[in-house]
């Protein structure tokens, strides 16, 4: 869709990347690190002061004690952290529960390890997990459950009840959890983020994956980290050591001091909520039916008042004829399930959102 957007010079609310500037302060810190000579490899686990700053942030936010030496590894992005976690534990024939719509790397990452994705639809239109369905799909071969909150593409978030259901399913089993929390902090309406880090019993069996790129508005940096138990992290590092080994040093040095200020992460949810609210307000001038977004960069919408086309056809036509690009949500399902929903990314400048909505309002 991004290629089509470029071809038609459309306003691109499809792909999930901000078009506004990231923090000048963080850029300064990274520049400073380069000038001071932090330009060589750091240890395989990541720059220690950054891991210490993360450990302190995790203690402050989730009241969890995470050892920076043994439980945190810096990675080249969240996607890599997820891939490495899966590769550390999966054996051919293992089953992995994946909720759809799903971020596009999960299924290929499972399959490249010879494991089998077991797909469960989130309940439309709230995109909630149906835990009775999960119970039915658990088998002796279930090795892992993939979670993602706040969720891409829908903006749904896990609740405390979801965590209780999860716990009742995995307790007493050998099932691992991979929790994709790359949109940590980008959660709205004062809802607490149900990080797996809050739950020591679940962290024992989990890999929790994060992205600096997503939360600090610099997706091109491709820097993230994984938190796990010391035992699982040692398996994770066996893959990481011979794959990436060491991540970009100056960014780690810059982030290590930037993160010491709590405002660097406490300010993020209100910043992004303002974007969501502004976009919602603008979209009242259109015939889209806005679904709920509680977090992430994204909000989904139905378009049945304007068209009965399939979502791909609709998204392509809107790019070509009206000059706005969205993502058809059927692409996040292996079976291309089409609920006639498209995804918008609202992590954009107000002018970009305004320009897009002015065009979208013309669709009759
Ligand atoms: N998980 C989800 C759900 C995402 O939306 C993204 C980014 N599109 C990632 C992981 C990957 O993050 P990164 O760019 O740090 O690899």
């Amino acid at each position: 869709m991004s290629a089509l957007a470029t071809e038609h010079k459309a306003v691109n609310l499809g792909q999930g990347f901000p078009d506004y500037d990231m923090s000048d302060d963080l850029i300064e810190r990274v520049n400073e690190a380069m000038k001071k000579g932090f330009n060589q490899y750091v240890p395989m686990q990541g720059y220690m002061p950054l891991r210490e700053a993360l450990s302190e942030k995790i203690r402050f936010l989730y009241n969890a004690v995470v050892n920076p030496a043994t439980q945190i590894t810096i990675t080249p992005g969240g996607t890599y952290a997820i891939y490495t976690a899966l590769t550390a534990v999966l054996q051919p024939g293992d089953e992995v529960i994946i909720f759809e719509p799903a971020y596009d790397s999960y299924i290929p990452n499972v399959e490249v390890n010879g494991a089998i994705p077991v797909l469960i639809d989130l309940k439309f239109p709230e995109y909630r997990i149906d835990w009775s369905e999960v119970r039915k799909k658990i088998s002796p071969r279930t090795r892992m459950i993939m979670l993602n909150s706040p969720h891409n593409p829908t903006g749904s978030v896990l609740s405390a009840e979801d965590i209780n259901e999860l716990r009742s399913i995995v307790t007493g089993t050998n099932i691992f959890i991979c929790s994709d929390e790359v949109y940590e902090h980008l959660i709205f309406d004062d809802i607490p983020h149900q990080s797996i880090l809050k739950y020591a019993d679940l962290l024992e069996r989990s890999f929790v994956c994060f992205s600096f790129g997503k939360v600090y508005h610099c997706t091109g940096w491709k820097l993230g980290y994984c938190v796990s138990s010391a035992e699982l992290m040692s398996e994770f590092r066996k893959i990481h050591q011979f794959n990436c080994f060491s991540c970009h040093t100056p960014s780690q040095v810059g982030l290590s001091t930037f993160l010491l200020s709590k405002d660097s992460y406490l300010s993020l949810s209100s910043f992004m909520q303002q974007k969501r609210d502004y976009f919602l307000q603008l979209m009242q001038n259109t015939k889209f039916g806005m679904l709920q977004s509680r977090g992430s960069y994204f909000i989904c919408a139905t378009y049945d008042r304007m068209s009965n086309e399939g979502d791909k056809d609709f998204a392509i036509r809107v790019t070509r004829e009206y000059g706005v690009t969205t993502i058809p949500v059927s692409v996040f399902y292996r079976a291309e399930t089409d609920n006639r929903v498209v995804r918008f990314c609202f992590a954009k400048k107000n002018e970009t959102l305004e320009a897009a909505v002015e065009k979208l309002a013309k669709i009759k």
Side-chain angles (χ1 to χ4, degrees):
M1 292 306 297
S2 282
L4 198 69
T6 310
E7 187 187 328
H8 291 273
K9 298 195 172 55
V11 185
N12 190 355
L13 301 191
Q15 209 181 346
F17 62 89
D19 69 346
Y20 45 81
D21 291 337
M22 62 172 292
S23 157
D24 272 341
D25 179 16
L26 182 50
I27 290 177
E28 288 296 321
R29 286 169 198 265
V30 176
N31 279 344
E32 196 60 12
M34 286 183 176
K35 286 184 192 149
K36 285 194 174 145
F38 288 98
N39 297 304
Q40 309 307 330
Y41 294 134
V42 289
M44 178 269 280
Q45 303 87 335
Y47 183 57
M48 190 49 149
L50 175 56
R51 286 185 281 143
E52 284 167 349
L54 289 170
S55 168
E56 173 50 27
K57 182 180 89 142
I58 291 166
R59 191 201 56 73
F60 172 71
L61 289 177
Y62 305 120
N63 200 21
V65 179
V66 164
N67 183 334
T70 56
Q71 292 186 260
I72 302 177
T73 300
I74 309 299
T75 63
T79 313
Y80 173 101
I82 294 162
Y83 171 78
T84 306
L86 292 169
T87 305
V89 296
L90 291 182
Q91 297 294 327
D94 285 345
E95 293 179 357
V96 180
I97 295 206
I98 296 178
F99 300 102
E100 288 191 308
Y103 178 54
D104 52 9
S105 75
Y106 299 165
I107 294 179
N109 283 185
V110 166
E111 289 182 336
V112 81
N113 282 292
I116 301 157
V118 174
L119 305 173
I120 298 178
D121 279 5
L122 294 171
K123 277 197 130 170
F124 181 75
E126 297 85 13
Y127 294 107
R128 302 213 64 81
I129 295 177
D130 178 348
W131 290 101
S132 63
E133 190 64 23
V134 180
R135 285 196 171 80
K136 281 189 217 147
K137 295 265 172 84
I138 296 280
S139 87
R141 306 181 87 156
T142 308
R143 183 77 161 161
M144 191 174 249
I145 298 178
M146 299 281 314
L147 296 175
N148 174 210
S149 178
H151 184 251
N152 175 13
T154 69
S156 67
V157 299
L158 292 179
S159 65
E161 294 86 77
D162 287 315
I163 300 293
N164 286 338
E165 292 275 10
L166 173 71
R167 175 179 288 118
S168 78
I169 287 175
V170 298
T171 303
T173 71
N174 293 326
I175 300 173
F176 296 111
I177 297 164
C178 181
S179 184
D180 176 347
E181 302 185 14
V182 300
Y183 297 101
E184 181 200 26
H185 309 309
L186 309 181
I187 183 162
F188 316 137
D189 309 319
D190 294 323
I191 301 173
H193 172 46
Q194 292 298 337
S195 175
I196 292 294
L197 298 178
K198 279 200 215 173
Y199 304 99
D201 61 325
L202 294 176
L203 183 58
E204 282 294 297
R205 58 174 77 238
S206 299
F207 297 95
V208 192
C209 302
F210 298 91
S211 168
F212 293 114
K214 282 288 175 185
V215 291
Y216 295 115
H217 325 294
C218 48
T219 57
W221 281 22
K222 290 298 288 189
L223 197 68
Y225 57 103
C226 180
V227 183
S228 189
S229 67
E231 202 183 354
L232 290 182
M233 188 48 79
S234 124
E235 296 303 306
F236 182 99
R237 288 175 179 171
K238 288 177 190 168
I239 306 294
H240 176 64
Q241 173 160 18
F242 300 114
N243 192 7
C244 159
F245 176 63
S246 174
C247 301
H248 192 252
T249 297
S251 314
Q252 295 187 60
V253 176
L255 279 161
S256 70
T257 55
F258 183 70
L259 280 180
L260 296 178
S261 148
K262 293 187 171 59
D263 194 51
S264 68
Y265 47 89
L266 294 180
S267 60
L268 294 169
S269 75
S270 73
F271 172 83
M272 201 55 85
Q273 180 172 335
Q274 277 170 30
K275 295 259 166 233
R276 179 204 61 176
D277 291 346
Y278 188 53
F279 186 58
L280 268 175
Q281 183 198 323
L282 293 171
M283 287 297 277
Q284 284 176 0
N285 299 321
T286 73
K287 290 189 177 161
F288 283 92
M290 303 310 287
L291 300 178
Q292 217 151 43
S293 166
R294 302 287 199 198
S296 79
Y297 282 6
F298 306 112
I299 189 162
C300 290
T302 57
Y303 53 84
D304 51 329
R305 285 193 283 163
M306 293 168 285
S307 162
N308 54 18
E309 289 160 288
D311 65 358
K312 284 187 190 152
D313 289 343
F314 178 75
I316 290 169
R317 188 168 65 82
V318 169
T319 300
R320 287 197 176 128
E321 293 180 11
Y322 294 92
V324 181
T325 297
T326 61
I327 301 284
V329 172
S330 64
V331 304
F332 297 97
Y333 292 88
R334 171 154 272 190
E336 299 187 12
T337 305
D338 188 355
N339 290 311
R340 315 250 147 134
V341 173
V342 290
R343 185 193 79 178
F344 294 96
C345 172
F346 52 76
K348 301 289 173 187
K349 290 180 198 151
N350 286 356
E351 305 93 272
T352 310
L353 298 176
E354 286 156 14
V357 175
E358 199 183 314
K359 292 167 190 278
L360 294 172
K362 294 189 179 134
I363 311 175
K364 293 295 167 219

